[in-house]
Amino acid sequence: AAELEYESVLCVKTDVNVYRIPPRTSNRGYRASDWKLDHPDWTGRLRVTSKGKTAYIKLEDKVSGELFAQAPIDQYPGIAVETVTDSSRYFVIRIQDGTGRSAFIGIGFTDRGDAFDFNVSLQDHFKWVKQETEISKESQESDTRPKLDLGFKEGQTIKLNIGNMMTKKGGAAKPRASASGGLSLLPPPPGGKVVVPPIPPPSSTAIANHVTPPPLLKSSNMSNADILLDLEGPASASKAPTSAPTDLWGDFSTASSAVPNQAPQQSNWVQF
């Protein structure tokens, strides 16, 4: 896995000074004022690279790019890189060679901005390393936890109730009246009166066909049978033959003789 990792460049500074520092006699920290700041022991280029979770401080020649010294860093802040107590432009780093030997040297930047970029590049790298460590730890913990079996067992079913698609008896539900489509009857306004349409007058044909039955005489001696006979009277009369008489003037004389209380006719009138 280490062979597959690629090296990325985090920071490049073209001007850096290297100093030999005296051994530290107390735990109070390093002081840049104890160094010979006017006479650096080496001057060159600094590159901060990363490969995997490890960062490297590489001191290289400005022209040829030949490696002068290298300081691998596993954590920051830590023993591999330390700041001095009296300045923000100077640091103490631990360089190592391929044989496992190490030494502490001092580095310094003439520009305070270069020192700030160097510090921030190391902080950002190890902040990313911390996040990756936490993510991998959480993934390992999730793998060890028992997984929930959310699948259906054999013969297991579920019932979904989506709105009112089906009634309790299994029939189709009544359609809902939608406000966007279809017609709906509005209730009458408050205080309104319902107008009843007028009844059309009976036509002349209906009046002509309507026959008003004759009034029945109320009599105490009239029995139910007489009432029935009176009701059957018009029906029996309708069954009489309707042959027209040969003598039209005879009907008038018959009708006049049938009147009981008719006054005696004048002599000058002709009897029909």
Side-chain angles (χ1 to χ4, degrees), residues 9-261:
V9 179
L10 304 179
C11 180
V12 177
K13 295 302 175 182
T14 58
D15 191 6
V16 64
N17 298 324
V18 177
Y19 304 93
R20 289 182 181 180
I21 59 175
R24 184 168 55 180
T25 58
S26 63
N27 294 330
R28 66 179 183 175
Y30 293 99
R31 292 175 60 88
S33 59
D34 298 337
W35 307 343
K36 297 178 181 179
L37 300 179
D38 296 336
H39 302 282
D41 297 304
W42 184 85
T43 302
R45 181 181 66 186
L46 180 142
R47 284 197 312 138
V48 180
T49 63
S50 65
K51 190 174 183 180
K53 297 182 179 181
T54 305
Y56 298 89
I57 299 175
K58 296 183 178 183
L59 302 175
E60 301 171 346
D61 187 79
K62 292 182 179 180
V63 179
S64 62
E66 183 182 359
L67 182 64
F68 173 75
Q70 177 177 275
I73 305 170
D74 296 332
Q75 62 179 4
Y76 180 78
I79 193 173
V81 179
E82 298 182 43
T83 59
V84 297
T85 58
D86 57 348
S87 178
S88 60
R89 295 187 293 114
Y90 297 92
F91 302 87
V92 176
I93 62 175
R94 184 183 62 183
I95 58 175
Q96 293 179 352
D97 58 3
T99 61
R101 295 182 301 175
S102 62
F104 291 92
I105 61 174
I107 60 173
F109 302 93
T110 56
D111 189 1
R112 196 175 300 276
D114 293 342
F116 177 80
D117 295 340
F118 169 75
N119 189 17
V120 170
S121 63
L122 292 176
Q123 289 180 355
D124 291 343
H125 172 72
F126 286 99
K127 185 183 295 183
W128 171 81
V129 171
K130 184 178 179 181
Q131 293 177 353
E132 289 292 324
T133 305
E134 292 176 354
I135 292 173
S136 61
K137 185 178 179 181
E138 291 178 358
S139 62
Q140 292 177 359
E141 290 179 355
S142 62
D143 293 339
T144 56
R145 294 173 185 173
K147 297 182 179 180
L148 296 176
D149 186 10
L150 301 178
F152 287 99
K153 305 299 185 296
E154 184 177 358
Q156 184 179 4
T157 59
I158 61 174
K159 182 179 180 182
L160 298 178
N161 185 11
I162 304 176
N164 294 325
M165 293 184 63
M166 299 299 292
T167 58
K168 295 182 179 178
K169 296 182 179 180
K174 296 181 180 179
R176 297 182 178 179
S178 59
S180 59
L183 298 177
S184 60
L185 297 177
L186 297 176
K193 296 181 179 180
V194 180
V195 180
V196 181
I199 300 174
S203 61
S204 59
T205 307
I207 295 174
N209 295 332
H210 179 72
V211 178
T212 304
L216 298 178
L217 298 177
K218 296 182 181 180
S219 176
S220 59
N221 298 327
M222 185 177 295
S223 61
N224 295 331
D226 297 334
I227 295 174
L228 293 177
L229 292 176
D230 292 338
L231 293 176
E232 293 177 357
S236 59
S238 62
K239 294 180 182 180
T242 57
S243 60
T246 57
D247 189 5
L248 298 177
W249 299 105
D251 291 338
F252 285 99
S253 60
T254 306
S256 59
S257 60
V259 179
N261 297 326

